[in-house]
Amino acid sequence: MKIIVGGKGRMGQLIAKTAEEHGHTVVGLFDAFSLDELKAAEKADMIIDFSHRDNLGWICDYVNENNAALVYGTTGLSPEQKEKLFALAESHPVFYSANFSYGVAVLQELLRKAVPMLKDTFDMELTETHHNQKADAPSGTAKAILEILNPDGEFEEVYGRSGMCGARKKEIGVHALRGGTEAGEHTVHFFGNNESITITHHADNRQIFVNGAIRAAEYLAEKEAGLYNMQDLLKSE
């Protein structure tokens, strides 16, 4: 494939390097400050973006103008931006996920099976940890996990606790830790009477997300217009 990578930072460079190692051609790395370079670049049939939500506008324009496919992993989108992305999937192949780790996808499948069995008798808590440069909190992955824990909104979602908060109600606590160079960790705690269950995914570095993005791009290459995610990728393997 001929691939455009959104963003020139560390993640973009790692995506480009890995894509080339897989035999693909990277047309270039672009962001909002390099769109003149984009106009002069060779046409691509795939965009992979993990950069910043402010790049979504030109990315959608490029996909529409060049009939390209899109692998999108940027988090922190506004409701309006999500609507724009979902609308794009009506006419083009779009693979969208808050986390491209294969292990996180498996963790989410485990939670889909565990939550119905535990939610009525166990208390649930969610913690996530990321590096000190991450812009959004909770992480996009944590929000996706929270949707699995609380699909019908029956629990109050409490973001951190302080003061005299009293006894626990029907709630799920959500906690974001930030520091150092931590690539990412997500943990779901189930606390019962005299027993507990903890499910954790820990990322050692960004390469696992890049590997997942390349895997998604190769999966998406032959797909028709539509919105795809890591669940679709799991089912295909």
Side-chain angles (χ1 to χ4, degrees):
M1 292 179 290
K2 293 181 180 179
I3 296 173
I4 281 176
V5 178
K8 296 183 175 183
R10 287 182 296 173
M11 193 66 170
Q13 293 176 35
L14 191 55
I15 290 171
K17 177 177 179 292
T18 305
E20 295 278 6
E21 290 172 350
H22 280 247
H24 305 297
T25 300
V26 176
V27 173
L29 285 72
F30 304 99
D31 54 32
F33 303 104
S34 58
L35 296 187
D36 289 339
E37 299 172 27
L38 176 64
K39 295 176 183 177
E42 185 179 0
K43 181 180 176 181
D45 46 30
M46 179 76 64
I47 297 181
I48 303 177
D49 182 81
F50 281 66
S51 60
H52 192 281
R53 65 182 188 177
D54 288 350
N55 282 327
L56 182 62
W58 73 258
I59 287 171
C60 290
D61 289 344
Y62 188 95
V63 168
N64 280 317
E65 292 168 7
N66 295 278
N67 198 31
L70 173 62
V71 173
Y72 195 79
T74 298
T75 59
L77 297 183
S78 68
E80 294 76 19
Q81 287 173 318
K82 283 188 177 181
E83 286 183 14
K84 186 179 183 70
L85 187 65
F86 298 159
L88 185 69
E90 294 177 4
S91 54
H92 298 84
V94 175
F95 194 110
Y96 173 55
S97 179
N99 191 305
F100 278 78
S101 159
Y102 196 80
V104 166
V106 173
L107 176 144
Q108 291 174 324
E109 286 299 303
L110 293 174
L111 290 174
R112 287 186 181 95
K113 296 180 183 298
V115 168
M117 294 185 284
L118 299 174
K119 67 184 181 69
D120 293 330
T121 54
F122 282 68
D123 296 324
M124 297 184 289
E125 296 278 305
L126 170 61
T127 62
E128 57 97 346
T129 305
H130 284 87
H131 55 86
N132 58 21
Q133 299 301 304
K134 185 167 179 60
D136 56 322
S139 68
T141 302
K143 291 177 181 177
I145 290 173
L146 191 57
E147 290 179 4
I148 298 172
L149 301 182
N150 194 26
D152 301 318
E154 61 181 299
F155 293 87
E156 179 184 357
E157 296 167 4
V158 179
Y159 294 85
R161 297 185 182 89
S162 63
M164 298 294 291
C165 54
R168 183 188 182 95
K169 302 181 288 293
K170 190 172 184 178
E171 63 189 36
I172 299 173
V174 185
H175 313 276
L177 309 181
R178 295 288 178 269
T181 58
E182 179 69 39
E185 182 172 287
H186 296 85
T187 299
V188 177
H189 302 269
F190 297 94
F191 297 105
N193 290 326
N194 302 309
E195 61 180 337
S196 63
I197 301 169
T198 301
I199 303 177
T200 297
H201 177 272
H202 179 81
D204 289 330
N205 57 55
R206 291 179 174 86
Q207 186 65 52
I208 63 169
F209 310 121
V210 173
N211 293 343
I214 301 302
R215 210 166 179 170
E218 292 170 346
Y219 165 83
L220 197 64
E222 304 300 326
K223 292 292 183 291
E224 297 180 352
L227 187 65
Y228 303 89
N229 57 35
M230 290 299 287
Q231 277 186 276
D232 298 311
L233 184 59
L234 283 179
K235 292 174 183 176
S236 72
E237 298 185 348

